[in-house]
Short mmCIF file of all heavy atoms in Angstrom, two decimals:
data_model
loop_
_atom_site.label_atom_id
_atom_site.label_comp_id
_atom_site.label_asym_id
_atom_site.label_seq_id
_atom_site.Cartn_x
_atom_site.Cartn_y
_atom_site.Cartn_z
N MET A 1 81.06 151.01 108.81
CA MET A 1 80.78 149.76 108.35
C MET A 1 82.09 149.01 108.00
O MET A 1 82.81 149.39 107.13
CB MET A 1 79.88 149.83 107.11
CG MET A 1 79.46 148.51 106.60
SD MET A 1 78.38 148.89 105.12
CE MET A 1 77.80 147.36 104.77
N SER A 2 82.34 147.92 108.78
CA SER A 2 83.63 147.19 108.50
C SER A 2 83.23 145.85 107.87
O SER A 2 82.16 145.29 108.07
CB SER A 2 84.32 147.00 109.82
OG SER A 2 83.47 146.10 110.63
N LEU A 3 84.15 145.51 106.94
CA LEU A 3 83.98 144.22 106.26
C LEU A 3 84.53 143.01 107.15
O LEU A 3 85.42 143.15 107.89
CB LEU A 3 84.76 144.23 104.90
CG LEU A 3 84.26 145.20 103.98
CD1 LEU A 3 85.26 145.22 102.76
CD2 LEU A 3 82.91 144.88 103.42
N PRO A 4 83.81 141.85 107.02
CA PRO A 4 84.24 140.72 107.85
C PRO A 4 85.65 140.21 107.22
O PRO A 4 85.77 140.27 106.07
CB PRO A 4 83.23 139.64 107.67
CG PRO A 4 82.48 140.05 106.47
CD PRO A 4 82.58 141.59 106.38
N SER A 5 86.53 139.94 108.21
CA SER A 5 87.83 139.51 107.70
C SER A 5 87.74 137.99 107.35
O SER A 5 87.09 137.20 108.03
CB SER A 5 88.94 139.73 108.78
OG SER A 5 88.56 138.95 109.91
N GLN A 6 88.43 137.67 106.28
CA GLN A 6 88.34 136.23 105.87
C GLN A 6 89.88 135.68 105.99
O GLN A 6 90.73 136.42 105.74
CB GLN A 6 88.05 136.16 104.33
CG GLN A 6 86.64 136.50 104.08
CD GLN A 6 86.32 136.42 102.58
OE1 GLN A 6 87.21 136.20 101.81
NE2 GLN A 6 85.03 136.59 102.29
N SER A 7 89.93 134.56 106.48
CA SER A 7 91.21 133.86 106.65
C SER A 7 91.26 132.77 105.59
O SER A 7 90.33 132.00 105.37
CB SER A 7 91.42 133.31 107.99
OG SER A 7 90.55 132.37 108.28
N TYR A 8 92.42 132.85 104.80
CA TYR A 8 92.54 131.86 103.79
C TYR A 8 93.59 130.83 104.30
O TYR A 8 94.52 131.12 104.96
CB TYR A 8 93.11 132.52 102.61
CG TYR A 8 92.19 133.52 101.93
CD1 TYR A 8 92.30 134.87 102.09
CD2 TYR A 8 91.07 132.96 101.19
CE1 TYR A 8 91.37 135.73 101.52
CE2 TYR A 8 90.20 133.87 100.53
CZ TYR A 8 90.40 135.27 100.82
OH TYR A 8 89.41 136.07 100.29
N PRO A 9 93.41 129.62 103.85
CA PRO A 9 94.39 128.45 104.28
C PRO A 9 95.74 128.80 103.69
O PRO A 9 95.94 129.41 102.57
CB PRO A 9 93.82 127.21 103.67
CG PRO A 9 92.86 127.63 102.60
CD PRO A 9 92.35 129.00 102.97
N ALA A 10 96.74 128.32 104.33
CA ALA A 10 98.07 128.60 103.85
C ALA A 10 98.31 127.74 102.65
O ALA A 10 98.00 126.69 102.48
CB ALA A 10 99.14 128.20 104.89
N ARG A 11 98.91 128.47 101.61
CA ARG A 11 99.20 127.72 100.37
C ARG A 11 100.75 127.25 100.35
O ARG A 11 101.63 128.00 100.77
CB ARG A 11 98.94 128.70 99.23
CG ARG A 11 97.51 129.13 99.12
CD ARG A 11 97.28 129.97 97.96
NE ARG A 11 97.43 129.27 96.74
CZ ARG A 11 97.43 129.83 95.57
NH1 ARG A 11 97.33 131.08 95.43
NH2 ARG A 11 97.67 129.02 94.49
N ARG A 12 100.85 126.12 99.70
CA ARG A 12 102.23 125.58 99.54
C ARG A 12 102.79 126.24 98.32
O ARG A 12 102.17 126.30 97.31
CB ARG A 12 102.08 124.14 99.33
CG ARG A 12 103.10 123.30 100.00
CD ARG A 12 102.92 121.86 99.89
NE ARG A 12 103.88 121.38 98.82
CZ ARG A 12 103.70 120.38 98.06
NH1 ARG A 12 102.70 119.65 98.23
NH2 ARG A 12 104.56 120.11 97.21
N PRO A 13 104.13 126.59 98.29
CA PRO A 13 104.72 127.15 97.13
C PRO A 13 104.77 126.24 95.99
O PRO A 13 104.94 125.00 96.28
CB PRO A 13 106.04 127.63 97.60
CG PRO A 13 106.36 126.89 98.85
CD PRO A 13 105.01 126.61 99.41
N LEU A 14 104.72 126.61 94.73
CA LEU A 14 104.85 125.63 93.57
C LEU A 14 106.15 125.02 93.46
O LEU A 14 106.30 123.88 93.18
CB LEU A 14 104.50 126.36 92.43
CG LEU A 14 103.04 126.77 92.11
CD1 LEU A 14 102.84 127.64 90.89
CD2 LEU A 14 102.13 125.72 92.17
N ILE A 15 107.23 125.78 93.77
CA ILE A 15 108.65 125.28 93.69
C ILE A 15 109.28 125.48 95.08
O ILE A 15 109.30 126.64 95.51
CB ILE A 15 109.40 126.03 92.57
CG1 ILE A 15 108.72 125.83 91.25
CG2 ILE A 15 110.84 125.57 92.57
CD1 ILE A 15 109.42 126.77 90.21
N GLY A 16 109.70 124.39 95.60
CA GLY A 16 110.35 124.47 96.88
C GLY A 16 111.76 125.23 96.80
O GLY A 16 112.21 125.48 95.86
N ASP A 17 112.37 125.38 97.99
CA ASP A 17 113.62 126.08 98.07
C ASP A 17 114.53 125.17 98.84
O ASP A 17 114.45 125.09 100.00
CB ASP A 17 113.49 127.43 98.80
CG ASP A 17 114.72 128.19 98.73
OD1 ASP A 17 115.59 128.00 97.89
OD2 ASP A 17 114.90 129.11 99.60
N PRO A 18 115.43 124.44 98.29
CA PRO A 18 115.74 124.31 96.87
C PRO A 18 114.77 123.44 96.07
O PRO A 18 114.08 122.67 96.61
CB PRO A 18 117.19 123.67 96.88
CG PRO A 18 117.14 122.81 98.09
CD PRO A 18 116.26 123.64 99.05
N PRO A 19 114.75 123.61 94.77
CA PRO A 19 113.81 122.89 93.95
C PRO A 19 114.07 121.40 94.01
O PRO A 19 115.18 120.88 94.13
CB PRO A 19 113.91 123.40 92.46
CG PRO A 19 114.90 124.34 92.54
CD PRO A 19 115.48 124.56 93.90
N GLU A 20 113.00 120.60 93.92
CA GLU A 20 113.25 119.05 93.90
C GLU A 20 113.97 118.68 92.72
O GLU A 20 113.96 119.26 91.67
CB GLU A 20 111.87 118.38 94.04
CG GLU A 20 111.14 118.67 95.34
CD GLU A 20 109.85 117.98 95.35
OE1 GLU A 20 109.74 116.92 94.73
OE2 GLU A 20 108.98 118.44 96.14
N THR A 21 114.71 117.52 92.81
CA THR A 21 115.56 116.99 91.83
C THR A 21 114.77 116.72 90.54
O THR A 21 115.13 116.96 89.44
CB THR A 21 116.30 115.78 92.25
OG1 THR A 21 117.02 116.17 93.43
CG2 THR A 21 117.28 115.29 91.21
N GLY A 22 113.55 116.07 90.68
CA GLY A 22 112.72 115.68 89.61
C GLY A 22 112.33 116.93 88.82
O GLY A 22 112.23 116.90 87.54
N PHE A 23 112.02 117.99 89.43
CA PHE A 23 111.62 119.21 88.73
C PHE A 23 112.81 119.81 87.93
O PHE A 23 112.60 120.21 86.73
CB PHE A 23 111.14 120.33 89.75
CG PHE A 23 110.77 121.64 89.14
CD1 PHE A 23 109.62 121.79 88.45
CD2 PHE A 23 111.73 122.70 89.24
CE1 PHE A 23 109.31 123.00 87.84
CE2 PHE A 23 111.40 123.90 88.69
CZ PHE A 23 110.25 124.08 87.95
N VAL A 24 114.03 119.86 88.48
CA VAL A 24 115.21 120.36 87.78
C VAL A 24 115.49 119.47 86.59
O VAL A 24 115.81 119.98 85.44
CB VAL A 24 116.41 120.45 88.69
CG1 VAL A 24 117.67 120.76 88.03
CG2 VAL A 24 116.05 121.39 89.86
N ILE A 25 115.42 118.11 86.75
CA ILE A 25 115.69 117.23 85.51
C ILE A 25 114.61 117.48 84.51
O ILE A 25 115.01 117.47 83.32
CB ILE A 25 115.66 115.76 86.03
CG1 ILE A 25 116.93 115.50 86.91
CG2 ILE A 25 115.67 114.78 84.86
CD1 ILE A 25 116.94 114.12 87.59
N ALA A 26 113.31 117.56 84.77
CA ALA A 26 112.29 117.80 83.88
C ALA A 26 112.49 119.13 83.14
O ALA A 26 112.39 119.18 81.99
CB ALA A 26 110.91 117.80 84.53
N LEU A 27 112.86 120.14 83.80
CA LEU A 27 113.14 121.40 83.23
C LEU A 27 114.34 121.36 82.23
O LEU A 27 114.30 121.87 81.13
CB LEU A 27 113.44 122.47 84.29
CG LEU A 27 113.50 123.94 83.89
CD1 LEU A 27 112.13 124.32 83.31
CD2 LEU A 27 113.96 124.81 85.07
N CYS A 28 115.34 120.70 82.61
CA CYS A 28 116.59 120.41 81.73
C CYS A 28 116.15 119.67 80.46
O CYS A 28 116.53 119.99 79.46
CB CYS A 28 117.73 119.70 82.48
SG CYS A 28 118.45 120.81 83.68
N LEU A 29 115.37 118.65 80.65
CA LEU A 29 114.94 117.87 79.47
C LEU A 29 114.09 118.62 78.57
O LEU A 29 114.21 118.54 77.34
CB LEU A 29 114.12 116.57 79.96
CG LEU A 29 115.00 115.53 80.53
CD1 LEU A 29 114.12 114.35 81.09
CD2 LEU A 29 115.88 114.87 79.59
N VAL A 30 113.22 119.46 79.08
CA VAL A 30 112.33 120.26 78.23
C VAL A 30 113.25 121.29 77.40
O VAL A 30 113.07 121.42 76.23
CB VAL A 30 111.23 121.06 79.01
CG1 VAL A 30 110.64 122.14 78.22
CG2 VAL A 30 110.21 120.06 79.52
N TYR A 31 114.22 121.83 78.11
CA TYR A 31 115.17 122.88 77.46
C TYR A 31 115.91 122.06 76.29
O TYR A 31 116.07 122.67 75.26
CB TYR A 31 116.07 123.32 78.63
CG TYR A 31 117.11 124.38 78.12
CD1 TYR A 31 116.74 125.67 77.63
CD2 TYR A 31 118.36 123.96 77.82
CE1 TYR A 31 117.63 126.55 77.19
CE2 TYR A 31 119.34 124.87 77.33
CZ TYR A 31 118.92 126.11 77.00
OH TYR A 31 119.92 126.92 76.56
N LEU A 32 116.47 120.99 76.60
CA LEU A 32 117.27 120.19 75.66
C LEU A 32 116.45 119.77 74.51
O LEU A 32 116.78 119.80 73.25
CB LEU A 32 118.01 119.09 76.23
CG LEU A 32 119.09 119.47 77.33
CD1 LEU A 32 119.64 118.18 77.94
CD2 LEU A 32 120.14 120.16 76.56
N LEU A 33 115.25 119.18 74.71
CA LEU A 33 114.50 118.59 73.58
C LEU A 33 113.87 119.69 72.79
O LEU A 33 113.75 119.47 71.55
CB LEU A 33 113.39 117.76 74.19
CG LEU A 33 113.76 116.47 74.81
CD1 LEU A 33 112.70 115.70 75.52
CD2 LEU A 33 114.53 115.56 73.87
N THR A 34 113.51 120.87 73.34
CA THR A 34 113.00 121.92 72.46
C THR A 34 114.15 122.46 71.57
O THR A 34 113.88 122.96 70.50
CB THR A 34 112.30 123.02 73.20
OG1 THR A 34 113.28 123.47 74.28
CG2 THR A 34 111.09 122.55 73.88
N GLY A 35 115.36 122.41 72.06
CA GLY A 35 116.48 122.84 71.22
C GLY A 35 116.87 121.94 70.10
O GLY A 35 117.49 122.29 69.12
N LEU A 36 116.55 120.66 70.32
CA LEU A 36 117.07 119.65 69.35
C LEU A 36 116.06 119.44 68.17
O LEU A 36 116.39 119.27 67.07
CB LEU A 36 117.17 118.21 69.99
CG LEU A 36 118.29 118.06 70.97
CD1 LEU A 36 118.19 116.67 71.61
CD2 LEU A 36 119.59 118.25 70.24
N PHE A 37 114.74 119.68 68.46
CA PHE A 37 113.78 119.44 67.33
C PHE A 37 113.07 120.64 66.91
O PHE A 37 112.96 121.61 67.65
CB PHE A 37 112.75 118.51 67.98
CG PHE A 37 113.26 117.14 68.35
CD1 PHE A 37 113.43 116.83 69.62
CD2 PHE A 37 113.77 116.16 67.36
CE1 PHE A 37 113.95 115.60 70.09
CE2 PHE A 37 114.33 114.97 67.70
CZ PHE A 37 114.44 114.70 69.10
N GLY A 38 112.75 120.76 65.68
CA GLY A 38 111.92 121.95 65.17
C GLY A 38 112.77 122.98 64.66
O GLY A 38 112.27 124.09 64.51
N ARG A 39 113.99 122.80 64.43
CA ARG A 39 114.87 123.87 63.93
C ARG A 39 116.00 123.31 63.16
O ARG A 39 116.32 122.11 63.33
CB ARG A 39 115.38 124.77 65.04
CG ARG A 39 116.40 124.14 65.98
CD ARG A 39 116.72 125.11 67.07
NE ARG A 39 117.96 124.57 67.77
CZ ARG A 39 119.22 124.91 67.53
NH1 ARG A 39 119.42 125.87 66.66
NH2 ARG A 39 120.19 124.46 68.27
N ASP A 40 116.69 124.08 62.35
CA ASP A 40 117.81 123.58 61.60
C ASP A 40 118.98 123.57 62.48
O ASP A 40 119.25 124.46 63.31
CB ASP A 40 118.19 124.57 60.41
CG ASP A 40 116.98 124.61 59.30
OD1 ASP A 40 116.40 123.58 59.23
OD2 ASP A 40 116.84 125.63 58.71
N PRO A 41 119.89 122.56 62.31
CA PRO A 41 121.00 122.41 63.16
C PRO A 41 122.12 123.45 62.94
O PRO A 41 122.81 123.83 63.86
CB PRO A 41 121.64 121.01 62.84
CG PRO A 41 121.12 120.70 61.47
CD PRO A 41 119.75 121.36 61.37
N TRP A 42 122.23 124.02 61.71
CA TRP A 42 123.11 125.04 61.39
C TRP A 42 122.43 126.25 60.73
O TRP A 42 121.61 126.09 59.90
CB TRP A 42 124.25 124.57 60.42
CG TRP A 42 125.11 123.41 60.88
CD1 TRP A 42 124.82 122.09 60.69
CD2 TRP A 42 126.12 123.48 61.82
NE1 TRP A 42 125.83 121.39 61.30
CE2 TRP A 42 126.58 122.26 62.03
CE3 TRP A 42 126.83 124.53 62.56
CZ2 TRP A 42 127.68 121.91 62.94
CZ3 TRP A 42 127.81 124.13 63.39
CH2 TRP A 42 128.18 122.98 63.55
N LYS A 43 122.91 127.40 61.12
CA LYS A 43 122.38 128.54 60.38
C LYS A 43 123.21 128.66 59.15
O LYS A 43 124.37 128.18 59.06
CB LYS A 43 122.49 129.80 61.23
CG LYS A 43 121.59 129.72 62.45
CD LYS A 43 121.78 131.02 63.29
CE LYS A 43 120.96 130.97 64.54
NZ LYS A 43 121.13 132.10 65.45
N GLY A 44 122.77 129.34 58.15
CA GLY A 44 123.55 129.51 56.91
C GLY A 44 124.95 130.20 57.08
O GLY A 44 125.86 129.68 56.54
N ASP A 45 124.96 131.20 57.84
CA ASP A 45 126.26 131.87 58.06
C ASP A 45 127.23 131.11 58.84
O ASP A 45 128.51 131.14 58.71
CB ASP A 45 126.05 133.24 58.85
CG ASP A 45 125.34 134.23 58.02
OD1 ASP A 45 125.35 134.09 56.68
OD2 ASP A 45 124.74 135.14 58.56
N ASP A 46 126.79 130.12 59.80
CA ASP A 46 127.59 129.30 60.50
C ASP A 46 128.39 128.41 59.58
O ASP A 46 129.62 128.19 59.77
CB ASP A 46 126.85 128.42 61.55
CG ASP A 46 126.29 129.23 62.65
OD1 ASP A 46 126.73 130.34 62.83
OD2 ASP A 46 125.40 128.72 63.33
N ALA A 47 127.75 127.77 58.57
CA ALA A 47 128.41 126.83 57.74
C ALA A 47 129.48 127.65 56.86
O ALA A 47 130.55 127.13 56.62
CB ALA A 47 127.48 126.16 56.71
N LEU A 48 129.17 128.85 56.40
CA LEU A 48 130.10 129.71 55.66
C LEU A 48 131.33 129.94 56.44
O LEU A 48 132.48 129.90 56.01
CB LEU A 48 129.36 130.94 55.14
CG LEU A 48 130.27 131.96 54.41
CD1 LEU A 48 130.66 131.39 53.04
CD2 LEU A 48 129.58 133.23 54.22
N ASN A 49 131.11 130.37 57.71
CA ASN A 49 132.25 130.76 58.62
C ASN A 49 133.10 129.55 58.95
O ASN A 49 134.36 129.70 59.06
CB ASN A 49 131.73 131.46 59.86
CG ASN A 49 131.18 132.78 59.53
OD1 ASN A 49 131.47 133.44 58.64
ND2 ASN A 49 130.13 133.14 60.35
N ILE A 50 132.48 128.38 59.12
CA ILE A 50 133.23 127.18 59.34
C ILE A 50 134.07 126.90 58.23
O ILE A 50 135.31 126.46 58.29
CB ILE A 50 132.34 126.01 59.75
CG1 ILE A 50 131.72 126.29 61.13
CG2 ILE A 50 133.05 124.76 59.84
CD1 ILE A 50 130.70 125.32 61.52
N GLY A 51 133.59 127.01 56.95
CA GLY A 51 134.33 126.82 55.77
C GLY A 51 135.57 127.77 55.64
O GLY A 51 136.70 127.21 55.30
N VAL A 52 135.36 128.94 56.11
CA VAL A 52 136.49 129.92 55.93
C VAL A 52 137.56 129.56 56.96
O VAL A 52 138.82 129.55 56.62
CB VAL A 52 135.96 131.36 56.22
CG1 VAL A 52 137.08 132.38 56.41
CG2 VAL A 52 135.10 131.82 55.05
N ALA A 53 137.18 129.13 58.16
CA ALA A 53 138.10 128.78 59.23
C ALA A 53 138.78 127.51 58.78
O ALA A 53 140.01 127.35 59.07
CB ALA A 53 137.40 128.65 60.60
N LEU A 54 138.10 126.63 58.25
CA LEU A 54 138.78 125.37 57.76
C LEU A 54 139.87 125.65 56.68
O LEU A 54 140.96 125.08 56.59
CB LEU A 54 137.72 124.35 57.28
CG LEU A 54 138.12 123.02 56.82
CD1 LEU A 54 138.93 122.29 58.01
CD2 LEU A 54 136.98 122.14 56.28
N GLY A 55 139.46 126.48 55.81
CA GLY A 55 140.48 126.94 54.71
C GLY A 55 141.68 127.48 55.35
O GLY A 55 142.82 127.22 54.92
N PHE A 56 141.53 128.45 56.38
CA PHE A 56 142.71 129.02 57.03
C PHE A 56 143.51 127.89 57.76
O PHE A 56 144.80 127.96 57.74
CB PHE A 56 142.29 130.02 58.06
CG PHE A 56 141.88 131.33 57.52
CD1 PHE A 56 140.96 132.06 58.15
CD2 PHE A 56 142.39 131.87 56.29
CE1 PHE A 56 140.48 133.33 57.60
CE2 PHE A 56 141.98 133.13 55.82
CZ PHE A 56 141.07 133.84 56.42
N ALA A 57 142.85 127.00 58.32
CA ALA A 57 143.58 125.84 59.09
C ALA A 57 144.34 125.07 58.09
O ALA A 57 145.46 124.51 58.39
CB ALA A 57 142.50 125.12 59.85
N ARG A 58 143.80 124.73 57.00
CA ARG A 58 144.48 123.84 56.00
C ARG A 58 145.54 124.61 55.24
O ARG A 58 146.64 123.91 55.01
CB ARG A 58 143.47 123.34 54.97
CG ARG A 58 142.53 122.22 55.58
CD ARG A 58 141.66 121.63 54.54
NE ARG A 58 140.87 120.54 55.08
CZ ARG A 58 139.81 120.06 54.54
NH1 ARG A 58 139.41 120.66 53.38
NH2 ARG A 58 139.02 119.20 55.15
N GLU A 59 145.36 125.76 54.80
CA GLU A 59 146.35 126.47 53.95
C GLU A 59 147.12 127.53 54.56
O GLU A 59 148.03 128.06 53.93
CB GLU A 59 145.55 127.06 52.77
CG GLU A 59 144.76 126.02 51.93
CD GLU A 59 143.80 126.67 51.02
OE1 GLU A 59 143.83 127.92 50.77
OE2 GLU A 59 142.94 125.92 50.44
N GLY A 60 146.73 127.97 55.81
CA GLY A 60 147.36 129.11 56.36
C GLY A 60 146.70 130.30 55.94
O GLY A 60 145.93 130.37 55.01
N ASP A 61 146.94 131.42 56.55
CA ASP A 61 146.40 132.70 56.20
C ASP A 61 147.19 133.62 55.41
O ASP A 61 146.88 134.75 55.24
CB ASP A 61 145.80 133.45 57.53
CG ASP A 61 146.92 133.79 58.47
OD1 ASP A 61 148.06 133.31 58.31
OD2 ASP A 61 146.67 134.54 59.40
N GLY A 62 148.27 133.17 54.93
CA GLY A 62 149.12 134.04 54.22
C GLY A 62 149.89 133.50 53.16
O GLY A 62 150.41 133.32 52.22
#
């Protein structure tokens, strides 16, 4: 007993090769905007380390 073979229509890929310019720009915008909003600009340790580096730059390390 054999099953009837079904042929499916050819599907277009979601992302072309190379991707379209609009898709790349949209992806970059999503990446940048999600990084800008909804989080603190500085972590606590970053501010502390910048202060130490600024002290070294102003006074020298010795």
Side-chain angles (χ1 to χ4, degrees):
M1 178 177 191
S2 65
L3 297 174
S5 64
Q6 294 180 348
S7 62
Y8 296 101
R11 295 182 67 188
R12 222 177 99 205
L14 292 175
I15 301 172
D17 187 24
E20 294 183 26
T21 304
F23 176 76
V24 173
I25 290 173
L27 189 64
C28 290
L29 284 175
V30 167
Y31 178 78
L32 291 172
L33 290 175
T34 56
L36 289 176
F37 301 106
R39 64 183 196 100
D40 294 331
W42 298 101
K43 295 180 182 174
D45 290 339
D46 290 343
L48 178 67
N49 293 332
I50 289 172
V52 170
L54 183 61
F56 283 149
R58 285 185 179 164
E59 301 167 11
D61 60 349

